[in-house]
Amino acid sequence: MKDTGVLKLIRRYLEAGMMEGGIENARSEGTPQGSPLSPLLSNILRDDLDRELERRGHRFCRYADDCNIYVKSERSGQRVRQSITAFLEPRLKLKVNAAKSAVARPWQRKFLGYSMTWHQKPKLKIASESRQRLAEKIRLALRRGRGQSLQQVIKGIHPVLRGGMAYFQLSEVKNVLEELDGWLRHNLRTLLWRQWKRVYTRARNLIKAGIDKVRAWKSATNGRGPWWNGGASHMNQAFPKSWFDRMGLVSLLDTHRRFLSVS
């Protein structure tokens, strides 16, 4: 690199002290944690890889140290994997993580939390691992909300929902969003059933929500657990999606549709 401005900036980052116990100490090695220096150095170092892939005519996507290379056959994929490994390790002194590397169909792999469908004209979708991580974040938010009102629980979940949807707004497949929305409402109905506790309270609240008296009492005394009742027809009828909309619950699918309409 010959850009003196960038080189001076890198040096200033490397020479910056680090705080330990409120005292600034000189740095002898490594890069400042949380600074933009690491991704900058990563891109500088891997620029040679980008140029090599372009020289070979490969189609690829790279973000930091995550890279997908697209070829026409498994045989080509195995060959490219070996040759790129041979390029990275001796020349750039970078170790390829064999456990995370694979030759596979595009829809069998993920990139930055996304995957794609198997269609001739593929569509971006949320990868299954990303869906599980998002569901786990929602589950943790629900757990933190135990003992709170439903309104407070919904308020606590919103940052997770909005953050997840902002990141996955490029998804073109809606079924994952529909499933997560339905799963979340199921959890919230289960929470309501748990909070009501007594048979009389459950029957009274079901009647108040529009369920006829006979059915309300039959549902309240069915002896089933909270999760079963949270997904049962009486709770779905009493508290449909429109009810949660009025409560202000963020819908992943509706938010995604708004993103599409704006774009």
Side-chain angles (χ1 to χ4, degrees):
M1 177 184 286
K2 299 179 181 179
D3 191 316
T4 56
V6 174
L7 290 173
K8 286 180 180 178
L9 179 62
I10 292 173
R11 177 172 290 279
R12 289 182 67 182
Y13 268 117
L14 292 174
E15 292 178 346
M18 55 183 176
M19 298 294 292
E20 290 184 359
I23 301 173
E24 183 178 354
N25 296 314
R27 183 185 302 276
S28 59
E29 61 182 358
T31 59
Q33 187 174 3
S35 78
L37 182 59
S38 292
L40 173 62
L41 293 177
S42 172
N43 281 324
I44 291 172
L45 182 62
R46 291 177 178 84
D47 184 62
D48 286 347
L49 171 62
D50 295 346
R51 293 179 184 275
E52 178 65 17
L53 292 172
E54 288 172 352
R55 186 186 69 77
R56 298 185 187 188
H58 291 314
R59 295 184 177 183
F60 67 97
C61 294
R62 184 183 69 79
Y63 184 88
D65 61 347
D66 197 354
C67 184
N68 281 8
I69 304 169
Y70 301 100
V71 293
K72 292 183 177 180
S73 67
E74 182 180 358
R75 184 177 179 182
S76 297
Q78 296 290 358
R79 184 177 65 250
V80 169
R81 181 185 181 184
Q82 292 175 3
S83 63
I84 292 301
T85 300
F87 173 82
L88 287 171
E89 295 188 341
R91 181 165 175 177
L92 299 184
K93 310 300 180 186
L94 295 173
K95 181 69 176 176
V96 175
N97 190 330
K100 293 184 178 180
S101 302
V103 175
R105 298 288 188 183
W107 53 86
Q108 295 172 330
R109 303 294 291 169
K110 68 180 180 68
F111 184 67
L112 303 180
Y114 284 91
S115 184
M116 60 180 71
T117 64
W118 52 267
H119 300 94
Q120 185 174 6
K121 187 177 180 181
K123 294 181 179 181
L124 278 178
K125 68 175 186 178
I126 301 173
S128 58
E129 297 93 330
S130 302
R131 188 256 185 224
Q132 292 169 6
R133 280 196 295 271
L134 180 55
E136 184 58 31
K137 288 180 180 179
I138 295 171
R139 206 176 276 116
L140 289 173
L142 288 168
R143 202 170 296 152
R144 287 194 296 268
R146 285 178 179 173
Q148 298 178 345
S149 68
L150 185 68
Q151 192 71 55
Q152 289 174 314
V153 172
I154 288 174
K155 185 178 179 181
I157 296 171
H158 277 172
V160 177
L161 299 176
R162 290 195 176 104
M165 204 57 259
Y167 186 84
F168 292 114
Q169 61 180 285
L170 298 178
S171 175
E172 299 171 279
V173 179
K174 65 179 184 179
N175 65 330
V176 175
L177 304 176
E178 286 180 315
E179 289 170 6
L180 280 170
D181 275 342
W183 173 79
L184 175 55
R185 289 194 296 270
H186 187 164
N187 273 277
L188 294 175
R189 293 185 190 105
T190 301
L191 176 65
L192 282 175
W193 193 262
R194 282 199 177 101
Q195 288 178 346
W196 294 341
K197 294 182 180 179
R198 297 183 179 182
V199 168
Y200 174 76
T201 306
R202 290 169 176 171
R204 183 189 63 192
N205 283 315
L206 287 173
I207 294 169
K208 187 178 178 181
I211 304 297
D212 70 81
K213 189 174 180 179
V214 173
R215 188 182 179 202
W217 277 101
K218 184 177 179 181
S219 300
T221 57
N222 61 33
R224 301 274 192 164
W227 181 253
W228 186 91
N229 279 284
S233 59
H234 54 271
M235 286 295 282
N236 277 275
Q237 181 181 333
F239 304 100
K241 179 183 180 298
S242 57
W243 185 86
F244 285 104
D245 290 341
R246 291 194 297 273
M247 288 288 289
L249 178 65
V250 168
S251 164
L252 296 173
L253 183 59
D254 291 347
T255 304
H256 182 256
R257 285 170 175 161
R258 284 195 292 273
F259 277 130
L260 291 179
S261 64
V262 170
S263 60

